[in-house]
Amino acid sequence: MSAAPRADDARDVDVVCLGESMVTFVPSRPGRLADVPAFSRGIGGAESNVACSLARVGHTARWISRVGADGFGDHLVAEIAAAGVDVSYVRRDPDRPTGVYFRTAGERAVDDGGGGGDGGGGGDGELSEVVYYRAGSAAAAMSPDLVPREQAWSGRVLHLTGITAALSDGCRALLRELTTRAPGRPLVSFDVNYRTALWRGGGAGRLLDLARGCDLVFVGEDEAGAAWGLRGATAIRAALPEPEVLVVKQGSAGATAYARRPGGGDQVTCEPAPRVEVVAAVGAGDAFAAGFLSGSLRGLTVAERLRHGHLMAAAALTVPGDLGAPPAREHADGLVALDAGAWGTLRLAPGWTDAGPVSAEVATP
C-alpha cells in the first residue's frame, strides 16, 4: 500500500509529532471575548493533538517541542503525557514563554486560526474569535541546531504541519531539513494547516514547497484555494504530484485520497463524511489526520483510513475542546465496515463515542 510507514527495529515509537502546543482558554459562557467573565483552561496544538489522539487509540506517539520554564509549560507537558504521549524530548526554555490563546466557541475562527474543521461534518453557526499570545514563544525558537534529526526521525512516521513553518525562520529551516528526502528518513506526514493570521506577510508558497517533499499530505480544499488559488481536488493533485498519498479534505462533503499506484497513476478514493451535530469546529482536522494515520499504521485500505479519519474528526467536533475521546477501536472498526448505504445514514451527536460496538449491519440513525 502506498505511503506505508517504515518498518525498522531502530524506531522506538509509531509516530513522532513535532510542533508548538499552547495553553488554550475557552469561555465559561457564549459571547464575545470582551464580554466573557471567565475561562476554563485546556491545551491546543495541531501536532500534540495528533499525538494525543494516536496514543488514545493504542499507538505509541512522541511529541517534540519547546515550552517555557513556566507554569503553562508544566501544564502542557503534564496533560500531553497524561494522554500516553512520550514527552522526553520536550525542552524547557528559560528565556521564552509558553504560548497561550483565547477563543470563543463558534464554528470557525474569524482569522482561520482554529484547529481546522475539515474532514468530519459541519454546520452553520456563529464565527468564533481567536486571540493568540505566541510571538516570541519557546516553540518559535526551534531550529535545526536545537532539534537533532535523529530525534525527529525516531518514529516510523514523522508528522509535521505548516503552522510550524510560519513561526520563525528557524522553524522554517527545521521543516526544510526534515522534509528533504534523504536515506533513513521515516515516512513524513504533512498537514498544510494554512492559517491566514500566520502568513499575512505572504510566503504561503513555501507551504507548497514543503508539501512536495513529503510522503503523505493533508490539505483542505478551502485552504488550498486561499493559499495557492487552486480550485478542486484534481487541481490540487496536479500541483502536488510528488506525495505518495494526497488527502484533500472537503469539509462536510467528505474527503478524496490520491494514492500512487506502483505502476504509475493514482488510485482515487472518495469517502463522504457522516452527518455530525457540531459542538465546536476546532481540532477536527488534527483528529482526521490522526484517524488516517492510525489506519495507515494498521495497514488498512485507503477507504478505511478515510473513514477512520472522519470518525476521529467527529469525535472532536462533538465536544467543546480541541480533543475528543475517540471511539473504542472495536466500535470504530464496526462503523468503518458498514456498507455505503448504512454509512450514509450515520448521524453522530455528542456522546456517540460512548456507544458500544456496532456491527457491520447496524447504523446509528
Side-chain angles (χ1 to χ4, degrees), residues 270-281:
C270 302
E271 281 293 331
R275 287 170 290 179
V276 178
E277 185 179 320
V278 176
V279 173

Side-chain angles (χ1 to χ4, degrees), residues 27 31-33 101-115 125-131 280-282:
R32 301 183 309 146
L33 289 178
Y101 74 97
F102 295 78
R103 69 169 176 83
T104 55
E107 296 293 342
R108 183 178 291 273
V110 293
D111 68 350
D112 240 356
E126 296 181 358
L127 295 176
S128 70
E129 298 173 77
V130 178
V131 179
V282 291

Side-chain angles (χ1 to χ4, degrees), residues 260-304:
R260 189 182 306 137
R261 294 190 178 98
D266 280 328
Q267 170 192 332
V268 182
T269 306
C270 302
E271 281 293 331
R275 287 170 290 179
V276 178
E277 185 179 320
V278 176
V279 173
V282 291
D286 307 327
F288 179 92
F292 192 94
L293 284 170
S294 176
S296 301
L297 288 161
R298 295 173 61 197
L300 303 184
T301 68
V302 173
E304 290 168 333

Side-chain angles (χ1 to χ4, degrees), residues 160-350:
L160 306 166
T161 82
I163 294 172
T164 305
L167 297 181
S168 67
D169 291 341
C171 285
R172 210 153 30 245
L174 175 61
L175 260 63
R176 280 198 301 270
E177 176 177 300
L178 297 178
T179 57
T180 298
R181 301 183 191 280
R185 191 184 85 165
L187 184 147
V188 177
S189 165
F190 185 73
D191 192 338
V192 172
N193 253 323
Y194 175 67
R195 297 289 177 258
T196 305
L198 295 177
W199 293 99
R200 282 179 180 150
R206 296 170 182 169
L207 290 174
L208 194 61
D209 293 335
L210 290 171
R212 285 171 172 155
C214 300
D215 305 298
L216 166 61
V217 172
F218 301 95
V219 62
E221 199 169 45
D222 55 351
E223 64 184 343
W228 308 318
L230 299 173
R231 298 290 182 266
T234 302
I236 297 169
R237 182 53 163 172
L240 277 169
E242 295 87 356
E244 291 181 40
V245 175
L246 170 69
V247 179
V248 180
K249 299 175 292 179
Q250 296 159 309
S252 59
T256 299
Y258 296 83
R260 189 182 306 137
R261 294 190 178 98
D266 280 328
Q267 170 192 332
V268 182
T269 306
C270 302
E271 281 293 331
R275 287 170 290 179
V276 178
E277 185 179 320
V278 176
V279 173
V282 291
D286 307 327
F288 179 92
F292 192 94
L293 284 170
S294 176
S296 301
L297 288 161
R298 295 173 61 197
L300 303 184
T301 68
V302 173
E304 290 168 333
R305 299 178 200 185
L306 289 171
R307 286 192 174 188
H308 274 287
H310 289 320
L311 292 176
M312 291 279 271
L317 288 165
T318 49
V319 297
D322 283 31
L323 285 169
R329 180 173 289 187
E330 186 180 8
H331 184 202
D333 285 347
L335 292 174
V336 166
L338 294 170
D339 62 32
W343 175 263
T345 70
L346 287 179
R347 184 183 296 275
L348 304 175

Side-chain angles (χ1 to χ4, degrees), residues 79-118:
E79 287 295 301
I80 293 169
V85 176
D86 177 6
V87 297
S88 59
Y89 289 161
V90 177
R91 296 293 174 256
R92 311 302 292 263
D93 191 322
D95 302 315
R96 298 175 179 85
T98 303
V100 301
Y101 74 97
F102 295 78
R103 69 169 176 83
T104 55
E107 296 293 342
R108 183 178 291 273
V110 293
D111 68 350
D112 240 356
D118 293 311

